[in-house]
C-alpha cells in the first residue's frame, strides 16, 4: 500500500532527524495544554468512529465510489507527508520548531482519519467499513502519539514506532486488498 510505504519513508527521515535533536532537547519544556486539548477536540467525527468500526455496512455507497474517495484522501495525505519529510531534518533539529512540526504532522493524521470515517459511514460493504474503521483507529493512535513532542525527543525511536506501527501496517494492507491504490 502506497500510504504505508510513504509512512515508512517519513519514519526513516524523522527517526534520523530526531536522533540529532534528542541531544539538544530541553528537559524544562512544559507540555502544551493546546496539544492535549487539540488531541481530544480536533476530531469532530469521534462519535461516528464507534459506528464505523462495527462493520455493519449500513451505508448506501458502493465500494468503488468509496474506494475512489479513500484513495484520493490517501494521495493527498501522501503528498503532504512527502513534502514534510523533506523539511523534517531542519524542523526536528531545533527543539523550538519540533513541537510545531509534530503538531502539524498530527493534524495530517487527524485530517485523513476524519475523511476515512466519513467514507466508512457511506460504505454499504461491511468488509470495507471494517477496514476503514481499523485504519482510522490506527491513524488516531498515531495522531495521539505524535501529540507528545517532549517524549518523542527523549526517545526518537518512538517516531519510528508510530509510523511503523503494526496496527497501521495491518490496517493499510487490509484496506489495500479491498481498495487497491493505483
Amino acid at each position: 500500500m502506497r500510504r504505508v510505504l510513504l509512512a515508512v519513508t517519513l519514519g526513516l527521515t524523522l527517526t534520523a532527524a530526531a536522533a540529532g535533536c534528542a541531544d539538544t532537547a530541553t528537559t524544562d519544556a512544559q507540555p502544551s495544554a493546546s496539544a492535549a486539548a487539540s488531541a481530544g477536540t480536533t476530531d469532530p467525527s469521534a462519535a461516528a468512529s464507534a459506528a464505523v468500526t462495527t462493520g455493519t455496512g449500513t451505508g448506501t455507497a458502493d465500494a468503488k465510489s468509496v474506494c475512489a474517495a479513500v484513495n484520493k484522501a490517501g494521495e493527498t495525505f501522501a503528498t503532504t507527508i512527502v513534502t514534510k519529510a523533506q523539511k523534517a531534518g531542519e524542523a526536528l533539529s531545533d527543539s523550538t520548531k519540533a513541537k510545531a512540526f509534530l503538531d502539524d504532522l498530527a493534524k495530517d493524521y487527524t485530517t485523513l482519519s476524519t475523511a476515512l470515517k466519513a467514507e466508512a459511514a457511506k460504505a454499504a460493504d461491511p468488509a470495507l467499513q471494517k477496514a476503514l474503521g481499523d485504519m482510522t483507529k490506527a491513524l488516531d493512535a498515531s495522531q495521539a502519539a505524535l501529540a507528545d513532542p517532549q517524549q518523542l525527543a527523549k526517545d526518537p525511536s518512538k517516531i519510528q514506532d508510530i509510523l511503523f506501527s503494526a496496527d497501521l501496517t495491518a490496517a493499510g494492507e487490509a484496506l489495500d486488498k479491498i481498495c487497491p491504490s493505483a
Side-chain angles (χ1 to χ4, degrees):
M1 162 170 249
R2 188 173 26 190
R3 289 172 281 210
V4 174
L5 293 175
L6 289 171
V8 168
T9 301
L10 178 62
L12 294 172
T13 304
L14 291 175
T15 301
C21 81
D23 295 333
T24 62
T26 60
T27 56
D28 61 337
Q30 297 295 319
S32 168
S34 64
S38 68
T41 59
T42 58
D43 186 3
S45 62
S49 177
V52 168
T53 59
T54 61
T56 58
T58 57
T60 59
D62 65 274
K64 184 176 180 179
S65 64
V66 171
C67 285
V70 165
N71 285 334
K72 183 176 179 184
E75 289 171 14
T76 301
F77 176 77
T79 300
T80 302
I81 295 301
V82 167
T83 301
K84 288 184 180 173
Q86 296 168 353
K87 299 175 186 175
E90 178 186 338
L92 293 175
S93 64
D94 181 346
S95 61
T96 59
K97 294 178 183 177
K99 181 186 176 336
F101 179 82
L102 291 170
D103 285 348
D104 193 40
L105 187 61
K107 288 177 186 175
D108 295 325
Y109 277 79
T110 299
T111 299
L112 180 58
S113 177
T114 301
L116 296 185
K117 286 173 186 172
E119 291 307 316
K122 297 175 190 175
D125 180 351
L128 176 55
Q129 199 174 55
K130 181 183 180 327
L132 288 168
D134 292 346
M135 179 58 97
T136 60
K137 280 184 189 178
L139 288 167
D140 291 346
S142 294
Q143 181 274 333
L146 287 168
D148 190 356
Q150 283 87 14
Q151 195 62 22
L152 293 173
K154 290 178 189 173
D155 185 0
S157 70
K158 297 282 186 200
I159 295 172
Q160 189 174 16
D161 292 345
I162 293 167
L163 299 173
F164 288 106
S165 87
D167 291 342
L168 188 59
T169 301
E173 289 171 357
L175 184 57
D176 197 37
K177 288 178 182 175
I178 299 170
C179 294
S181 48

